[in-house]
Amino acid sequence: MNIDSLDPNLFAPASRDAWLRLVNRALKGADFEEALVSHTDDGIEIQPLYTRCPDATPLPRRRIDAPWTISQRMDDPDIERAFTQLDADLANGAGGVHLLSRTSPSAFGVGVDQGADGLAARLTAALSGKDASLRLDGFSPDFAEVVAGSSKLATLHAGLDIFTSSSATNAVTDSFKRLLDAGGAGTIINADGRAVHNAGGTEAQELAVVTASLVGHLRLLEQADFTPETILKVVSLCLSADQNQFVTMAKARAARMLFTRIAEACGVSNPPVAHLFMETSYRMLTRLDPETNILRNTIAVFAAGTGGADEISVLPHTLTHGIPDPLARRLARNTQTVLIAESHLDHVIDPAAGAGGIAALTEALAEKAWEIFVGIERDGGLATIIAGGQLAAMVAEARASRVAKPIVGTTLFAMKTERPVVILGEIGSVTGAMGLRPVRLDGEAPL
């Protein structure tokens, strides 16, 4: 028996009115809105039932013929240990290296020293001849140029960002030109909203900052006579993915919509497909019962992968305690490997296309983000509101107004005695970016 053998006339057509009558009977007088309608942190309404969207257009990742890149963090301050970890990652399923400096806003207290002797040469030697990508996070434009010039890497994401680094704009512009002339696959510029998310901002705020960052880089580089088409082809959109599955999927899809909208506003009639990098959320990780973070990471990766991410990096579940040990790193890597190699999630292109609920949430997030973005532009642009403290105030207000929810293992079903956590060393102070510092939802602020 198969689905084609079922008589389509066997069941009478269902109507929303008929469904509502059944729902109201089950509610027994309870208010429909209060009982069944929820809201995101941006106040976006989520109904319990949606109709299918006919003729939906998929929003695929950049390379639909290949799985997303499993990008493994390289952030151990012990440089010898870090390179040993890199070899193990590449030998056991990782397709990319996410190298973080100590000053990266996503380092969260650990990171590699940019001034380590021979770091660029050792990196390129370790990656040369391998079909692996390298993402630089928090490194200077000069370092990116050295890495790019040392040897031909398969893919380099240089990570230049005028908003999350202290690099001068002219240094970024000059390096952009030289990196562009060097050619090769990958991206050069980051439009990054992760700092907003991890400081407690909403999804629309994160998307708005990514959009404002994209526009800020476009303005800067257009002044140096680069065309929008040239710039857009080498931009990475950087977002956080958390355990809120449908919202994360919608956020990833909304980022692609916003990228296309900006490209069209710049007169690009045939916009490139954006490169979307997603990292699992730091703010969702808990210190108590950290094994529950493995489950949160799994949902976050599922949502990012099905939402269309091109590249995903997973924070090890023990990062809240210190430098993760080999087991924590292996679990972070295998979270993605299992979802690709065993669940084959990469085989389905934008499974949310046509789903009424996610489509509605995607569009609402994109519109709310655009509204916030327009406000940022009206106030002088992203650099101005960062310097003036408006961005930090906006995020702080969102964080303060968020309704506290139970956290499994911390405030719900908390363990009487915590198991010991194995780490390789203590973490240092956490670097803020854009005037923001990460704050976890378990109520504990990092150092």
Side-chain angles (χ1 to χ4, degrees), residues 101-110 137-138 161-166 192 194-196 198-199 282 386 391-392 399 428-439 446-447:
S101 80
R102 294 176 186 269
T103 58
S104 166
S106 295
F108 307 121
V110 292
D137 199 327
D161 187 346
I162 60 173
F163 297 107
T164 63
S165 72
S166 58
D192 199 340
R194 291 172 293 165
V196 173
N198 286 313
Y282 178 78
I386 291 172
L391 178 63
R399 184 174 64 244
S429 60
V430 175
T431 302
M434 301 182 179
L436 306 170
R437 284 180 63 82
V439 178
L447 299 176

Side-chain angles (χ1 to χ4, degrees), residues 151-173:
S151 66
K152 290 294 182 182
L153 299 171
T155 305
L156 173 64
H157 300 289
L160 304 189
D161 187 346
I162 60 173
F163 297 107
T164 63
S165 72
S166 58
S167 300
T169 55
N170 62 330
V172 172
T173 302

Side-chain angles (χ1 to χ4, degrees), residues 101-127:
S101 80
R102 294 176 186 269
T103 58
S104 166
S106 295
F108 307 121
V110 292
V112 175
D113 184 357
Q114 179 174 309
D117 289 340
L119 176 59
R122 291 187 66 177
L123 270 174
T124 52
L127 293 172

Side-chain angles (χ1 to χ4, degrees), residues 191-210:
D192 199 340
R194 291 172 293 165
V196 173
H197 169 88
N198 286 313
T202 69
E203 289 78 23
Q205 288 173 346
E206 183 182 3
L207 287 167
V209 166
V210 167

Side-chain angles (χ1 to χ4, degrees), residues 353-398:
I358 298 179
L361 185 54
T362 299
E363 292 175 6
L365 269 176
E367 289 304 317
K368 182 64 176 176
W370 189 264
E371 177 186 326
I372 298 171
F373 159 69
V374 169
I376 292 173
E377 289 294 291
R378 185 179 57 245
D379 291 340
L382 186 55
T384 299
I385 70 162
I386 291 172
Q390 294 100 312
L391 178 63
M394 178 175 68
V395 172
E397 182 181 357

